Amino acid sequence: MATTSAEYIQHHLQNLTFGKLPAGYQRADGSIVEEATWTLARTSSEAADMGFMAVHVDTLGWSIFMGLIFLGLFRFVAKRATVDTPSGLQNFVEIVVEFVQGIVKDTFHGRNPLIAPLALTIFVWIFLMNSLKWIPVDYIPGIGMALGLDYFKIVPTTDPNATFGMSIAVFALIIYYSIKIKGVGGFTRELTLTPFNHWALIPFNLFLEVLGLLTKPLSLALRLFGNMYAGEVVFILIALLPFYVQWVLNVPWAIFHILVIPLQAFIFMVLTVVYLSAAHEDNH
Amino acid sequence: MNINLTLFGQTIAFAIFIWFTMKFVWPPVTRAMQERQKKIAEGLDAAGRAQRDLSLAQEKATQTLRETKEQAAQILEQANKSANLIIEEAKEQARSEGERLIAAAKAEIEQEMNRAKDQLRAQVAALAVKGAEQILESEVDSAAHSELVNKLASQL
């Protein structure tokens, strides 16, 4: 366990990283890696030195686990969905589905069978991943420690890899549908001839439009990551207080997250639908 | 905080989740919801129709009731009328019968009276003759006086 506050915070913000250490690398305990090996990072600097060829096992594991809970629950209901009076669980699922359907219907004006399921996936999945924040910050890392894992950060949305991973998928869909609906020519025209329809201003237009395009995934990912990361840091800071006063701050902050957690999931979903709706509109 | 392969892992997982939702979660749930919506709409429709039918039937029932009442009243009126007529007729008959009876009785009485008068007259004549005989103490020639006596009798 870390000793100083700074170390404690740093420890709690470090993902469990499985990556490739280059040959001749000196590990934290002084030993030297003979040849390039895939291994779990023992320290933050090791994780950083692994570079791009590494995987956050905790992020991926928990996000996939949450995704499987979502799919399992919804598939369970979908298989047994009855037209007659629905049971409690089906009612719940239908409320969620209807909610998402309403948002998509209001925001998205094209016809695309992908959008609504996409929005549902985003909303429920991000909600589940965010909701892991309600688990006290020391519980899971403590269990990990007992199992011999040095780091364990369970909230996937506090890892920029997770949020960017999702926003990159959304970005890919934006590009795909822009080209599919407007054609290569139409999309190029949109990028070069708006907002100023003059050949001399093409570079300026291109700069503006590409910036606008790139802002979309960036804002999606950073908003979710920023909110969750900041909230997590505050939870960790509260955890540094003596245990008998923690609840004074911990409880209000957790209650506040009843608002933040669904809200961030909701914003990610709505913005995705809005961006894809814009990608489907050929009105330039 | 390092950006690494997790990025792609997450993207792939996301894509698979979306595909699964689109294929196996969204369609059955929304289909069930749609079908229920349709069913409810049909049910409401049927209820509305039934209500309309009910009000129609009620209207018809009240109309029939009214007609029946009217008919009953008519029948009653007619019955009253014919009863009155019958009574009237019976009264008339009784009256005429009575009158007839009275007339017959009167006629009989008249007859009886006349007969009695005739008898009385004859007796009176005989009595008168006998009285006269006794008064005169002599034989009265009844033949000679019968004319006189008859004249006397008819004056009674």
Side-chain angles (χ1 to χ4, degrees):
Chain A
M1 198 65 180
T3 45
T4 69
S5 300
E7 276 171 356
Y8 176 81
I9 295 168
Q10 220 169 23
H11 172 263
H12 275 65
L13 292 175
Q14 174 60 46
N15 284 100
L16 178 65
T17 313
F18 182 78
K20 189 178 171 189
L21 284 174
Y25 182 81
Q26 186 176 14
R27 298 203 66 166
D29 55 6
S31 64
I32 298 195
V33 180
E34 299 289 331
E35 51 189 78
T37 41
W38 284 84
T39 179
L40 282 171
R42 307 281 309 178
T43 62
S44 292
S45 61
E46 271 188 28
D49 289 335
M50 283 170 177
F52 193 76
M53 294 307 280
V55 172
H56 290 161
V57 181
D58 45 4
T59 298
L60 270 184
W62 281 97
S63 62
I64 290 171
F65 178 53
M66 287 297 125
L68 291 180
I69 287 179
F70 155 60
L71 292 180
L73 182 76
F74 276 60
R75 177 63 186 155
F76 177 81
V77 170
K79 253 167 113 176
R80 287 161 186 73
T82 62
V83 179
D84 304 318
T85 319
S87 64
L89 194 60
Q90 193 185 338
N91 249 330
F92 166 73
V93 166
E94 282 186 7
I95 288 168
V96 177
V97 167
E98 210 158 26
F99 170 69
V100 171
Q101 210 172 23
I103 301 281
V104 172
K105 219 172 253 172
D106 287 345
T107 321
F108 186 80
H109 301 298
R111 282 188 69 82
N112 190 335
L114 174 77
I115 304 302
L118 170 73
L120 179 70
T121 311
I122 288 174
F123 182 62
V124 183
W125 191 30
I126 293 181
F127 175 81
L128 286 174
M129 289 195 286
N130 288 352
S131 65
L132 288 170
K133 274 183 90 161
W134 278 315
I135 299 175
V137 286
D138 275 334
Y139 280 20
I140 305 293
I143 294 169
M145 201 71 85
L147 293 174
L149 300 170
D150 293 311
Y151 300 101
F152 218 94
K153 196 171 142 204
I154 58 165
V155 188
T157 42
T158 56
D159 181 353
N161 286 298
T163 60
F164 273 105
M166 285 185 287
S167 74
I168 284 171
V170 172
F171 183 64
L173 284 173
I174 292 173
I175 300 289
Y176 173 73
Y177 282 114
S178 289
I179 292 173
K180 191 185 169 198
I181 304 290
K182 298 161 190 167
V184 178
F187 188 43
T188 315
R189 253 198 310 285
E190 190 183 302
L191 289 181
T192 51
L193 294 175
T194 53
F196 304 110
N197 193 359
H198 191 275
W199 61 268
L201 285 167
I202 284 178
F204 182 66
N205 286 335
L206 194 65
F207 172 72
L208 270 187
E209 287 289 323
V210 168
L211 200 68
L213 202 62
L214 290 177
T215 310
K216 289 173 180 178
L218 209 67
S219 70
L220 269 183
L222 286 181
R223 180 180 300 105
L224 180 58
F225 163 68
N227 275 285
M228 291 300 116
Y229 189 77
E232 187 75 355
V233 168
V234 172
F235 269 125
I236 294 168
L237 288 177
I238 292 169
L240 283 169
L241 296 171
F243 74 91
Y244 48 85
V245 290
Q246 280 182 17
W247 64 271
V248 177
L249 293 168
N250 216 341
V251 170
W253 192 238
I255 291 171
F256 177 58
H257 274 77
I258 293 175
L259 179 70
V260 172
I261 285 170
L263 187 68
Q264 288 306 321
F266 178 73
I267 289 174
F268 200 107
M269 173 188 80
V270 169
L271 284 180
T272 302
V273 175
V274 168
Y275 291 157
L276 284 173
S277 179
H280 279 71
E281 269 158 25
D282 194 6
N283 50 10
H284 287 293
Chain B
M1 288 281 283
N2 315 306
I3 295 291
N4 53 31
L5 283 176
T6 315
L7 196 67
F8 296 130
Q10 192 78 11
T11 306
I12 293 165
F14 186 42
I16 293 170
F17 291 160
I18 295 169
W19 170 79
F20 189 88
T21 309
M22 192 170 130
K23 205 88 180 163
F24 300 110
V25 173
W26 189 266
V29 175
T30 49
R31 202 183 311 122
M33 280 160 65
Q34 253 168 13
E35 270 169 35
R36 183 166 334 112
Q37 234 165 26
K38 221 169 74 189
K39 227 168 118 175
I40 291 170
E42 277 167 8
L44 286 177
D45 218 37
R49 235 182 359 254
Q51 211 158 33
R52 217 164 41 242
D53 285 356
L54 183 69
S55 65
L56 226 72
Q58 255 167 358
E59 210 170 291
K60 216 168 154 184
T62 47
Q63 203 185 343
T64 314
L65 203 67
R66 206 172 48 239
E67 275 173 14
T68 313
K69 269 185 185 161
E70 265 168 30
Q71 253 173 6
Q74 250 173 18
I75 290 171
L76 211 65
E77 204 181 335
Q78 230 165 23
N80 275 342
K81 227 188 262 174
S82 61
N84 280 344
L85 213 68
I86 289 168
I87 290 170
E88 239 11 77
E89 268 175 19
K91 272 185 184 163
E92 194 64 36
Q93 253 178 3
R95 200 168 30 244
S96 62
E97 184 72 18
E99 273 168 8
R100 202 177 52 78
L101 282 176
I102 290 167
K106 269 184 180 166
E108 212 171 328
I109 291 166
E110 194 94 353
Q111 244 174 8
E112 208 70 22
M113 211 159 71
N114 283 345
R115 206 166 37 236
K117 266 182 188 167
D118 282 349
Q119 265 180 357
L120 216 60
R121 214 175 276 139
Q123 274 174 8
V124 166
L127 207 66
V129 170
K130 223 174 212 170
E133 255 174 24
Q134 282 194 355
I135 294 164
L136 297 176
E137 292 277 345
S138 58
E139 193 77 23
V140 177
D141 185 8
S142 62
H145 296 101
S146 68
E147 201 181 329
L148 182 77
V149 174
N150 276 348
K151 211 183 272 175
L152 204 70
S154 72
Q155 273 171 3
L156 288 167

